[in-house]
Amino acid sequence: MLLGCIADDFTGATDLANTLTRRGMATVVLLGVPHEDVDVGDADAVIIALKSRSIAAAHAVSQSLAALDWLACGGARQHYFKYCSTFDSTDAGNIGPVAEALLDALKQDFTVACPAFPTNKRTIYQGHLFVGDVLLSESSMRHHPLTPMTDPLLTRVLQRQCKGRVGLIAYDVVERGSAAIRGVVARLRTDGVRIAVVDALTDAHLLAIGEACADLKLLTGGSGLALGLPENFRRAGLLSAQAAGVLPKFSGHAAVLAGSCSAATQRQVAKMKTGSNWFEIDPIALREDRAAVAKVLQWARPRLGKEPVLIYSTADPATVEKAQAALGRERVGHLIEAAMGEIAKGLVGMGVRRLVVAGGETSGAVVTALGIDGLRIGEEIDPGVPWTASLGEPPLALALKSGNFGADDFFLKSFEKLGTADEFFSIPP
Ligand code: ADP
């Protein structure tokens, strides 16, 4: 393992995994700190996805240290702490406390903090974080329910969270390239700065910062800062030029489970609903009929074959509101998520090996129900959504799509991209 990463949430982990894979590192995402016996194969990078963004700082620190321990045992040469490109945190943490705890554990005196993600219009200038053309504190992040960001000056935000000194590597240095950055890093270290926020306005800046940080044992940032890291390992002769992200061919049946009600998923469901291979889940029926899940599976069994089946609870806002009024917002969500998990288990039992899931919470419910420890990242279907292969038995091809991602033809396109093994029908229904 070359790079051992800790991400403070699941979609952040897959975002980072996607970046590393596209640049040639075979990458595995583990869902939580793993049991010791998880086999990550020949992965170049391993990312442990935590849910530590908005929990108490002490818990975030202890979970992150447990993750670091596991990664260090795997022999990672460099470590990466991934957080959100909008620096989601409060004065109590968790970015500062976790970064300092990781530095202590690794016996290091210095790291950088760079959440910039120019592709998504997150840039840093003179330590100030911009979202599009406004400061972070003017963006919708100021109203975030858990981590409202009302101060755009990252050096000040981070200093409030840290015991050690926070400094800045400003734009003019970054613009001059990696040698200049390295020079300033050396000076900041002598001055006793422990974490330096680094300005970045473009991907070229991120590449230069990545190159300058090749020898740091710990880096912290968004997924953008990772852009330059694969090339560092390649330059050091540790990474081959081969493409990463090639998954094995999968045989077995195909299905789509859609629990997202986002506008994009509504369009994707409508687009796929042409023949009779679709089933709509009614949340009220889930509450009233204990055999509801069994009926979905009964419906699916004879239809599993050449074409993928679609099972969805996706609905327009008025229908969602009606269900929420009848059952309560949380209850209806839980009912559907639990049902989706059970349906996924049933489908896999019937030979489904290629599964697309729409919805962040829905995906979480499905991977938990299937008892999946980790995912190897494969080819990107649409921006930000790769195919993945689950670790463990049986291996499944999974595409986990957060609600609003993907083009209208995402579902069918996914299966076309994946292709199938010749022995497609070898798994009996
Ligand atoms: P997204 O990624 O679009 O936010 P999620 O899966 O994270 O999608 O969240 C969608 C939520 O809506 C889930 O909790 C799901 O159970 C719930 N849900 C799905 N279908 C319906 C429906 N027809 N009525 C009410 N709630 C629904």
Side-chain angles (χ1 to χ4, degrees), residues 250-251 345 347-349 351-353 370-372 374 389-398 427:
F250 281 84
S251 54
K345 264 167 73 175
L347 291 174
V348 170
V352 166
R353 295 291 179 269
L370 293 174
I372 287 170
S390 65
L391 307 181
E393 288 299 324
L396 305 173
L398 287 169
I427 294 177

Side-chain angles (χ1 to χ4, degrees), residues 29-32 34-35 37-38 367 371-375 391-392:
V29 174
L30 297 175
L31 309 166
H35 323 293
D37 57 355
V38 168
V367 293
I372 287 170
D373 289 322
L375 305 166
L391 307 181

Side-chain angles (χ1 to χ4, degrees), residues 137-389:
S137 49
E138 307 289 315
S139 77
S140 62
M141 279 305 295
R142 72 187 189 278
H143 299 306
H144 191 283
L146 301 174
T147 50
M149 300 304 290
T150 53
D151 185 353
L153 184 55
L154 295 185
T155 43
R156 198 162 53 199
V157 173
L158 189 55
Q159 188 64 79
R160 284 197 291 267
Q161 302 176 10
C162 286
K163 294 196 197 91
R165 262 182 71 199
V166 173
L168 174 69
I169 302 177
Y171 166 78
D172 58 328
V173 176
V174 176
E175 180 68 12
R176 294 206 311 273
S178 62
I181 299 168
R182 232 179 270 123
V184 173
V185 165
R187 204 194 67 224
L188 291 175
R189 270 177 135 149
T190 340
D191 290 351
V193 166
R194 197 144 197 242
I195 308 182
V197 172
V198 194
D199 281 355
L201 300 175
T202 62
D203 282 353
H205 291 157
L206 290 170
L207 290 170
I209 299 163
E211 189 181 344
C213 294
D215 295 329
L216 290 186
K217 288 284 173 241
L218 175 71
L219 280 85
T220 86
S223 61
L225 179 61
L227 280 175
L229 304 188
E231 196 49 40
N232 289 345
F233 293 119
R234 210 167 277 125
R235 227 179 274 119
L238 297 166
L239 186 66
S240 72
Q242 267 182 351
V246 181
L247 299 183
K249 290 275 184 207
F250 281 84
S251 54
H253 302 311
V256 176
L257 291 178
S260 161
C261 298
S262 68
T265 305
Q266 287 185 57
R267 290 195 298 271
Q268 289 156 353
V269 165
K271 182 97 180 164
M272 187 172 165
K273 256 178 69 176
T274 44
S276 62
N277 271 3
W278 52 272
F279 190 104
E280 180 174 0
I281 293 175
D282 171 10
I284 312 262
L286 284 183
R287 189 193 55 174
E288 289 174 356
D289 182 359
R290 293 178 64 184
V293 166
K295 283 180 184 164
V296 178
L297 293 172
Q298 231 167 32
W299 169 87
R301 187 182 288 276
R303 287 172 177 81
L304 293 173
K306 206 164 175 155
E307 303 298 327
V309 295
L310 166 67
I311 297 165
Y312 68 93
S313 66
T314 307
D316 59 31
T319 314
V320 170
E321 215 172 289
K322 225 164 83 190
Q324 288 177 340
L327 301 171
R329 176 195 292 264
E330 273 196 20
R331 180 143 158 70
V332 67
H334 287 152
L335 265 174
I336 292 173
E337 286 163 32
M340 288 295 192
E342 284 307 305
I343 292 166
K345 264 167 73 175
L347 291 174
V348 170
M350 293 192 286
V352 166
R353 295 291 179 269
R354 297 171 292 142
L355 189 60
V356 174
V357 187
E361 294 298 325
T362 311
S363 296
V366 166
V367 293
T368 305
L370 293 174
I372 287 170
D373 289 322
L375 305 166
R376 179 179 286 274
I377 307 302
E379 191 190 352
E380 199 170 34
I381 306 160
D382 270 336
V385 200
W387 269 113
T388 70

Side-chain angles (χ1 to χ4, degrees), residues 20-195:
L20 294 170
T21 307
R22 304 281 80 80
R23 299 217 160 215
M25 293 182 88
T27 304
V28 164
V29 174
L30 297 175
L31 309 166
V33 182
H35 323 293
E36 275 167 31
D37 57 355
V38 168
D39 177 10
V40 297
D42 56 356
D44 303 308
V46 175
I47 304 168
I48 296 182
L50 301 176
K51 284 187 186 169
S52 56
R53 184 168 294 170
S54 343
I55 61 178
H59 289 145
V61 165
S62 64
Q63 288 182 19
S64 305
L65 289 176
L68 180 72
D69 229 30
W70 194 93
L71 295 165
C73 287
R77 288 167 184 257
Q78 189 171 46
H79 293 89
Y80 197 98
F81 170 36
K82 155 78 175 72
Y83 39 79
C84 190
S85 61
T86 42
F87 214 69
D88 300 17
S89 54
T90 65
D91 285 353
N94 294 338
I95 295 173
V98 169
E100 289 197 299
L102 296 175
L103 279 173
D104 287 342
L106 289 164
K107 300 191 172 45
Q108 297 296 305
D109 65 335
F110 181 83
T111 188
V112 291
C114 184
F117 192 2
T119 311
N120 275 7
K121 298 191 169 17
R122 270 73 153 157
T123 53
I124 308 170
Y125 180 67
Q126 301 298 348
H128 291 75
L129 181 57
F130 287 81
V131 176
D133 54 3
V134 297
L135 285 165
L136 175 67
S137 49
E138 307 289 315
S139 77
S140 62
M141 279 305 295
R142 72 187 189 278
H143 299 306
H144 191 283
L146 301 174
T147 50
M149 300 304 290
T150 53
D151 185 353
L153 184 55
L154 295 185
T155 43
R156 198 162 53 199
V157 173
L158 189 55
Q159 188 64 79
R160 284 197 291 267
Q161 302 176 10
C162 286
K163 294 196 197 91
R165 262 182 71 199
V166 173
L168 174 69
I169 302 177
Y171 166 78
D172 58 328
V173 176
V174 176
E175 180 68 12
R176 294 206 311 273
S178 62
I181 299 168
R182 232 179 270 123
V184 173
V185 165
R187 204 194 67 224
L188 291 175
R189 270 177 135 149
T190 340
D191 290 351
V193 166
R194 197 144 197 242
I195 308 182

